[in-house]
Amino acid sequence: MLSEIEQVLPSEIEKRSFEIITEELKEMGKILCPETELIVKRCIHTSADFEYADSLVFTEGVVEKAKDAIRRGVPIITDTQMGKAGINKKRLAEYGSEVLCFMSDEDVAEMAKKNGTTRAVASMDKAAALGREAIFAVGNAPTALVRLYELIKERKINPELIIAVPVGFVNVVQSKELILSLEDTPSIVARGRKGGSNIAACICNALLYQM
């Protein structure tokens, strides 16, 4: 059994992984758009799930719009500390940008309790109250996406990008479709039930690594 294990140096593991992903996508007959190819492959690399080649939906020109926003120092706001932890903050800081997450803030907990909402909803309200441009990376809470949709419709916020990839069964699919229904909001959406904070972070990193 041990003799069947390929010996790969640690420095070569990622390179070899992407070679395998490229080979298997070719065998499956999947042709990726050059603009979004790296993002799709990084999601597959993170999850070992080739369904992302079909489920990821990109609005027109979203990659360039996202990179332009990062270059302008627009912050990334996540719905989990895990998502925040996974984003390459050193690379982000090169553009004067940062990652913010309000889920653990005391005022967010108080606001959620007072209004009878989730912390994710309260954190989106706090983000809107900042009055700043923002990129939203949502990998866990569909209620965050629903609240973003409402805030956009109420013209209280105008995101530079929404990464909509929460994972789960309750209101996950529906919340993602709400984001896709927004005609003028750049978005990257993982249709269906799959996603997660790790996927949200890897999409952010894939954008950064293209810069």
Side-chain angles (χ1 to χ4, degrees), residues 140-197:
N140 181 68
T143 55
L145 293 184
V146 174
R147 186 57 183 147
L148 280 175
Y149 175 85
E150 292 171 344
L151 289 166
I152 292 166
K153 285 296 187 179
E154 293 166 7
R155 300 185 183 276
K156 293 179 179 178
I157 196 168
N158 186 28
E160 295 295 310
L161 166 67
I162 297 177
I163 297 170
V165 294
V167 60
F169 299 95
V170 180
N171 294 327
V172 168
V173 174
Q174 296 91 332
S175 66
K176 293 174 179 178
E177 293 301 319
L178 279 178
I179 299 304
L180 284 173
S181 74
L182 295 167
E183 295 181 359
D184 299 320
T185 301
S187 64
I188 299 173
V189 180
R191 263 189 161 136
R193 295 171 170 174
K194 294 182 179 181
S197 295

Side-chain angles (χ1 to χ4, degrees), residues 97-117:
S97 186
E98 61 182 335
V99 187
L100 304 172
C101 181
F102 305 128
M103 292 291 286
S104 301
D105 293 2
E106 287 186 13
D107 59 337
V108 165
E110 292 171 1
M111 190 187 310
K113 185 177 180 180
K114 177 182 177 182
N115 297 331
T117 68

Side-chain angles (χ1 to χ4, degrees), residues 62 65-66 68-69 72 74 133-136 158-162 186:
V62 66
K65 290 175 183 177
D68 178 65
R72 290 187 280 109
V74 173
E133 295 178 312
I135 292 169
F136 290 89
N158 186 28
E160 295 295 310
L161 166 67
I162 297 177

Side-chain angles (χ1 to χ4, degrees), residues 52-68:
Y52 284 106
D54 295 314
S55 65
L56 284 172
V57 180
F58 302 83
T59 56
E60 186 175 355
V62 66
V63 172
E64 285 306 315
K65 290 175 183 177
K67 290 193 291 186
D68 178 65

Side-chain angles (χ1 to χ4, degrees), residues 34-52:
E35 182 187 22
T36 59
E37 180 178 1
L38 181 58
I39 296 172
V40 174
K41 286 182 176 179
R42 281 212 163 268
C43 287
I44 295 170
H45 178 255
T46 296
S47 63
D49 188 342
F50 281 83
E51 283 192 20
Y52 284 106

